[in-house]
Amino acid sequence: MLTPTDTVPLTGPLDVAALRHAASPLTVTVDEEARARVERGRRLFHALRHPPHPPHAPGGADRRIYGADTGFGALVGYAGRATDADQCDNTLAHLGAGQGPDLPPEIVRAALLLRTRSLARGLSGVSPEVLDRLAAMFATTFAPAVPRYGSVGASGDLIPLAYATQALRGRGHAYLDGRRMPAGDALTAAGLHPLALDGRDALALVNGTSLTTAATALALDAVRAAHRSLTALTCLLTDLLGCDTGFLDADLLRAYGHPGAVDVGSRMRRTLEGGTPSGTRPLQEPYSIRCAPQLLGAAEDALRYVDGVVAADLGGVSDNPLFFPGAGPGSWSGTDDVGQGKVVHGGNFFGQPAAFAADLLASVTAQLGNLAERQLDLLVDPARNGGLPPMLATTPGAQHGLQGVQLATTAFVAEIRRAATPAGMQSLPTNLHNQDVVPFGTQAALRAHDMAQLLGLLCGSLALGLRQAAHVGARHPAAPRCGGLLDALADAIPPVDPDRPLDADVRAAARLLVRYDRL
């Protein structure tokens, strides 16, 4: 696991742990292999832009390199600005149209780490200085201020990444040590120099899906943590109530036929090892207990699909056009000291895979949240909790125990359900029908990230209820692993006796679950 003092090389795979820790200062190194790739791609860009003999596309029409000296989007058929510096402004200025609150700085920094890693592949034609300046930023707490709304997730995350790029140039606003200020002041205070870009550099920084991928990856990381927490909490609930664990039988789950259920059931049996049923529970538990391995297993299967999409996006290159040194004919090709090479104009910036994955992640989050809320409801109900007091109140009426927490969890679930509408199929044409189909992956990813935060609070709420159940009369867990989790909760959170505001306790329980899981 990465820590703020670890080194992140730009050669080799990038994982979700690196994105998670990009919220804090990191040492990002531009190793010699990455620098050589980028320099080679940059030389090819210059060779193709200024060939000794003008290149020709099929049919004999001269071809330009998109963004180097052209207009953008629907205006690609018009000439851009005359100088490289002006072409950079031409790329970025019109994209300053975002609105809404700033995105969390940790998402923005994760997106820029992913963008840096993508550019380091050497296929984007950027100058090596761009990588050097980006790497220097990660050693500080600098984070561009980026508005939430404005990206359709096609041609990449144009508007949000333009705000990030402008902040790195000293324009707009940024955060430093958590304080929002003019970006130029933040750069100076951090000891950073403003980025100097030409049109190719600027377009490569904005014309990719790094924000969508980063938000999806961080949402996946949070949902996976909640999934593991909810699996452990279901075991603790089972043990506290003294439920028979036949619903976890290995033969039963193998007959079900789904690998996620088999794996979750195996994990739950290990957690409940050493436990004994009380003999006082019904023959068949409610579905929120009895069907937990099937539900959590289906979630595991779905999360594995999202794992694959995120891994592909973390390793991919999503901007346009791309430059392939040493390759054969493409859109058009040329030669110089880098050898044969080509530039290809295409659509790798189309964030549909992440959009579908984030929508699936939202569905998983909604059902996991529903499971946590239903288990808490079971726990506070004396008709189903084995005779514990209503709302787990020490003195019902004079005290109210988990009543307020249950009300809040109902609201959390309703909010998650409202947000779970798929975004990836709500295409709207824009940009004079140049972007006539769009994936809305950015909305799907950011929405999934929001939902994941609520799911964490639902797990914290359930954990608080289980801790309180032990205080008001539930038996001590018989399984050692369940007992260890309950002891950790009890050490961190005092019993609700008498009533007190529990918002901070829910957050503390949620944080403890993540730390406990990663020990």
Side-chain angles (χ1 to χ4, degrees), residues 71-152:
F72 299 96
L75 305 183
V76 64
Y78 296 85
R81 299 184 187 176
T83 69
D84 285 341
D86 283 347
Q87 186 66 352
C88 170
D89 288 336
N90 195 27
T91 307
L92 300 173
H94 74 286
L95 295 174
Q99 301 289 348
D102 291 341
L103 291 172
E106 61 268 22
I107 292 181
V108 176
R109 282 176 60 95
L112 287 174
L113 180 59
L114 178 56
R115 197 87 216 104
T116 305
R117 173 63 180 79
S118 177
L119 298 179
R121 292 283 298 277
L123 302 180
S124 301
V126 299
S127 59
E129 290 79 8
V130 173
L131 264 67
D132 291 333
R133 297 292 173 83
L134 287 169
M137 182 211 75
F138 287 107
T140 76
T141 62
F142 183 94
V146 175
R148 177 174 182 126
Y149 302 114
S151 176
V152 299

Side-chain angles (χ1 to χ4, degrees), residues 10-11 46 93 109 147 201 204 228 245 335 387 392 396 400 420 438 462:
L10 292 179
T11 296
H46 283 303
R109 282 176 60 95
D201 292 331
R228 292 188 294 268
T245 57
T335 61
L392 305 179
H400 296 82
V438 298
L462 175 59

Side-chain angles (χ1 to χ4, degrees), residues 190-465:
L192 301 172
H193 298 289
L195 269 177
L197 306 171
D198 62 13
R200 178 65 224 140
D201 292 331
L203 183 60
L205 279 164
V206 305
N207 206 191
T209 58
S210 297
L211 176 63
T212 296
T213 299
T216 303
L218 292 174
L220 170 63
D221 187 57
V223 174
R224 273 217 165 273
H227 181 272
R228 292 188 294 268
S229 297
L230 190 51
T231 302
L233 293 174
T234 302
C235 293
L236 180 53
L237 173 64
T238 298
D239 201 349
L240 281 174
L241 297 182
C243 305
D244 190 293
T245 57
F247 66 95
L248 295 172
D249 182 83
D251 292 328
L252 176 79
L253 294 177
R254 276 195 297 271
Y256 190 52
H258 293 275
V262 171
D263 293 346
V264 167
S266 176
R267 193 184 321 155
M268 293 178 72
R269 288 194 301 275
R270 287 194 303 271
T271 303
L272 284 163
E273 187 176 352
T276 56
S278 66
T280 61
R281 297 292 298 173
L283 174 64
Q284 296 195 130
E285 293 290 345
Y287 285 10
S288 58
I289 295 176
R290 185 173 17 133
C291 299
Q294 287 82 6
L295 189 160
L296 292 165
E300 175 63 32
D301 287 334
L303 291 175
R304 288 172 182 172
Y305 169 77
V306 181
D307 287 339
V309 173
V310 167
D313 276 356
L314 291 179
V317 180
S318 61
D319 51 297
N320 173 61
L322 295 182
F323 301 83
F324 296 92
S331 294
W332 54 267
S333 59
T335 61
D336 80 331
D337 63 326
V338 301
Q340 184 78 13
K342 66 180 180 180
V343 57
V344 183
H345 296 78
N348 283 6
F349 49 55
F350 197 81
Q352 194 71 65
F356 285 155
D359 283 341
L360 178 57
L361 198 57
S363 294
V364 170
T365 300
Q367 187 65 331
L368 292 179
N370 188 62
L371 178 63
E373 187 275 335
R374 288 292 83 200
Q375 289 182 346
L376 180 62
D377 182 77
L378 183 156
L379 191 60
V380 301
D381 183 356
R384 294 177 293 151
N385 67 11
L388 298 175
M391 292 299 172
L392 305 179
T394 305
T395 308
Q399 297 181 28
H400 296 82
L402 272 288
Q403 184 164 285
V405 169
Q406 194 206 15
L407 287 170
T409 61
T410 304
F412 298 162
V413 168
E415 181 65 21
I416 287 173
R417 289 179 180 177
R418 185 195 62 79
T421 302
M425 41 70 71
Q426 298 189 34
S427 177
L428 289 171
T430 187
N431 197 234
L432 301 184
H433 288 263
N434 173 56
Q435 298 180 24
D436 56 347
V437 180
V438 298
F440 286 124
T442 322
Q443 287 90 334
L446 292 173
R447 179 273 321 272
H449 187 270
D450 291 344
M451 294 169 66
Q453 307 313 302
L454 288 174
L455 178 59
L457 294 175
L458 283 162
C459 289
S461 301
L462 175 59
L464 180 61

